Amino acid sequence: MNNNATARAGHAGGTERRRPACAPLVIAAVVTLAACGGPNTVVKSWKAGDYHQQVSKVMVVALSQKTDMRRAFEYALVERLQNAGVTAVPSVDLLPLKPPADGAVVKAQVDRIVADRGFDGLLVTHLVGVKRTAVYISPNAHMRMQTDFDRQFLTTYSVIFTPGYTMEDTDVSLETNLYDAASGRAVW
């Protein structure tokens, strides 16, 4: 089974395309990342070939030390998922803003919340890397002509000069995984 779509014989010799069960989640994640601004690229996509369950209720988790970034990302992704017909809840509403340093305690909290609230998936995003590049913008000069008709066609010219400057481009790499809540294994 292809992870993008499966073609099968349809009516009158045509084809009918089905999206995999997880497709709305992945599409919403990509759209949310695209909304962050700048060009966005999906570098790699993978799906467990034996996973065919419909994911209908997910907890969205953004792993970040910056709580404002975590909250903004989770809420944006939850909104996109809900627009795609998936019930989604941001983890920022369910887990402490500053989780304990002990990973076992965090895992136990997540397992309890997943069981209590009936989640069948966890959509987890984390930062992989940040690359900053200095870009020099060259100086620019252009002429502007202005004509004053009140003073017998007086024409003036002005030169507008913009000095060169340096700006910083920032490329951010994120990884998003969908985990099956029952087994805890990555499925997309």
Side-chain angles (χ1 to χ4, degrees):
M1 175 185 240
N2 183 335
N3 71 345
N4 293 325
T6 303
R8 60 185 164 101
H11 303 293
T15 60
E16 189 178 296
R17 296 178 72 78
R18 289 186 305 146
R19 285 192 295 187
C22 305
L25 299 175
V26 175
I27 292 167
V30 170
V31 169
T32 299
L33 296 175
C36 293
N40 298 284
T41 307
V42 176
V43 177
K44 185 172 34 172
S45 180
W46 167 88
K47 179 186 181 280
D50 61 342
Y51 190 79
H52 305 291
Q53 296 174 346
Q54 179 70 34
V55 177
S56 60
K57 186 175 181 183
V58 297
M59 181 166 65
V60 174
V61 182
L63 302 176
S64 175
Q65 297 297 321
K66 298 179 180 179
T67 56
D68 56 338
M69 297 287 280
R70 174 183 169 200
R71 181 179 287 113
F73 185 85
E74 287 184 9
Y75 274 98
L77 187 50
V78 163
E79 181 180 353
R80 300 291 173 124
L81 289 168
Q82 289 173 343
N83 289 342
V86 177
T87 302
V89 178
S91 72
V92 74
D93 291 347
L94 305 173
L95 293 170
L97 291 179
K98 296 283 186 185
D102 184 358
V105 172
V106 174
K107 182 171 179 356
Q109 287 176 329
V110 170
D111 289 345
R112 188 187 78 252
I113 290 169
V114 165
D116 290 349
R117 301 223 178 203
F119 290 108
D120 53 6
L122 285 132
L123 195 64
V124 181
T125 300
H126 70 277
L127 179 68
V128 175
V130 177
K131 178 183 171 190
R132 290 183 171 82
T133 308
V135 178
Y136 180 71
I137 308 300
S138 300
N140 187 10
H142 65 278
M143 290 185 77
R144 187 177 87 180
M145 180 181 84
Q146 183 174 355
T147 304
D148 185 353
F149 291 104
D150 290 340
R151 293 194 288 179
Q152 300 174 331
F153 303 106
L154 177 65
T155 301
T156 59
Y157 293 91
S158 57
V159 177
I160 299 172
F161 179 76
T162 306
Y165 59 96
T166 303
M167 60 182 259
E168 185 177 74
D169 279 347
T170 304
D171 292 324
V172 177
S173 298
L174 301 171
E175 180 177 299
T176 300
N177 295 299
L178 175 65
Y179 293 90
D180 176 63
S183 66
R185 74 181 183 118
V187 294
W188 196 305

